[in-house]
Amino acid sequence: MPADDFVFPPAPQASLAVQGTDARFPMRRIFCVGRNYEAHAREMGKDPTREAPFFFTKPADAALDTPCIIPYPPQTEDLHHEIELVIAIGKGGRNIAEADVMDHVWGASVGIDLTRRDLQAEAKKAGRPWDWGKAFDNSAPIAALKPIADVPSVEQGRIWLAVNGKVRQDADLADLIWSVREHVAILSQSMALAPGDIIMTGTPAGVAALVEGDVVTGGVDGIATLEVTIGPRA
């Protein structure tokens, strides 16, 4: 549609950097998998053996390249970090078979699902959606994507996060309750996936609060690393 047909100029296309190139990966949606590591599910007071994978979303423009400085977000006193393997979809589909999932994956990276934990807890208690706790501005810093052909594995490899040099989260992708193949296939049964969709695959145990001035580093071995600094309050 010509630009003149809009009542005001449309927002720029949300996108992520790609390792080793100036090209950008255009983003469509961000899906997040909840409680996908057993130890984290238990630290949040849930029994992961009793539930199928579930999903929530963030807007595409919540993502930003790393390294970056993110203002401490408003309306929270309990901002938490959640390090996650990130999967980028390059080929759409519905009801994708587990055996075919990797044919739909364009690349992978690492990101942080920043969470306003106090607002999420209030929403849970009231039986309301998690949007205010999860889908706020700058809540998805993501390192540059690596094309899937160059990714050694999305099934095993260390995933970790440190704050000011002290490791807080340290696990292995093999600890995922629902593997990438499994949860992408399950997601495609409810949503027709499309090129540009991003999936944040869940976080291991060790989530904790961040404060202004914290420097957060993290990564998935063989895929990507990131650095995020928490700046003054927005």
Side-chain angles (χ1 to χ4, degrees), residues 19 66-67 83 109-111 142-144 146 160 216-228:
Q19 294 180 28
T66 66
I83 193 76
S109 189
V110 64
I142 297 174
K146 175 174 278 192
W160 61 277
V216 184
T217 52
V220 177
D221 285 0
I223 298 180
T225 59
L226 53 68
E227 179 178 313
V228 175

Side-chain angles (χ1 to χ4, degrees), residues 81-102:
H81 57 75
E82 298 189 4
I83 193 76
E84 313 209 0
L85 169 71
V86 172
I87 297 297
I89 299 298
K91 176 185 174 184
R94 183 189 294 276
N95 295 319
I96 301 168
E98 287 182 27
D100 298 331
V101 162
M102 297 311 296

Side-chain angles (χ1 to χ4, degrees), residues 177-197:
I177 297 171
W178 298 90
S179 71
V180 169
R181 290 180 184 273
E182 289 172 329
H183 69 242
V184 172
I186 291 168
L187 176 58
S188 76
Q189 294 170 9
S190 292
M191 293 276 192
L193 296 180
D197 285 339

Side-chain angles (χ1 to χ4, degrees), residues 12-214:
Q13 169 67 55
S15 65
L16 290 171
V18 175
Q19 294 180 28
T21 177
D22 292 333
R24 306 282 302 180
F25 181 87
M27 297 175 64
R28 187 166 184 260
R29 298 170 291 190
I30 302 175
F31 296 100
C32 303
V33 186
R35 304 188 198 120
N36 203 21
Y37 287 81
E38 182 174 349
H40 171 61
R42 295 192 187 284
E43 78 178 349
M44 299 303 290
K46 301 296 180 180
D47 184 347
T49 64
R50 295 184 179 180
E51 60 184 11
F54 69 94
F55 303 88
F56 58 93
T57 62
K58 292 176 181 274
D61 63 6
L64 67 166
D65 295 329
T66 66
C68 60
I69 300 173
I70 295 176
Y72 193 98
Q75 297 188 327
T76 184
E77 300 298 330
D78 198 19
L79 176 69
H80 278 209
H81 57 75
E82 298 189 4
I83 193 76
E84 313 209 0
L85 169 71
V86 172
I87 297 297
I89 299 298
K91 176 185 174 184
R94 183 189 294 276
N95 295 319
I96 301 168
E98 287 182 27
D100 298 331
V101 162
M102 297 311 296
D103 294 336
H104 293 258
V105 175
W106 186 92
S109 189
V110 64
I112 303 176
D113 168 15
L114 288 171
T115 301
R116 296 192 285 197
R117 190 71 74 200
D118 44 1
L119 300 190
Q120 183 193 31
E122 291 172 7
K124 288 180 179 180
K125 185 176 180 180
R128 295 173 180 172
W130 292 6
D131 296 60
W132 255 227
K134 290 286 192 177
F136 53 95
D137 295 341
N138 304 315
S139 61
I142 297 174
L145 295 168
K146 175 174 278 192
I148 199 64
D150 299 327
V151 171
S153 176
V154 296
E155 297 177 347
Q156 60 183 6
R158 184 185 182 220
I159 180 170
W160 61 277
L161 178 142
V163 178
N164 303 323
K166 184 176 180 180
V167 174
R168 290 187 178 178
Q169 295 184 265
D170 200 348
D172 195 282
L173 299 180
D175 299 331
L176 283 164
I177 297 171
W178 298 90
S179 71
V180 169
R181 290 180 184 273
E182 289 172 329
H183 69 242
V184 172
I186 291 168
L187 176 58
S188 76
Q189 294 170 9
S190 292
M191 293 276 192
L193 296 180
D197 285 339
I198 294 292
I199 303 170
M200 302 186 76
T201 64
T203 196
V207 301
L210 296 167
V211 298
E212 295 176 45
D214 278 345

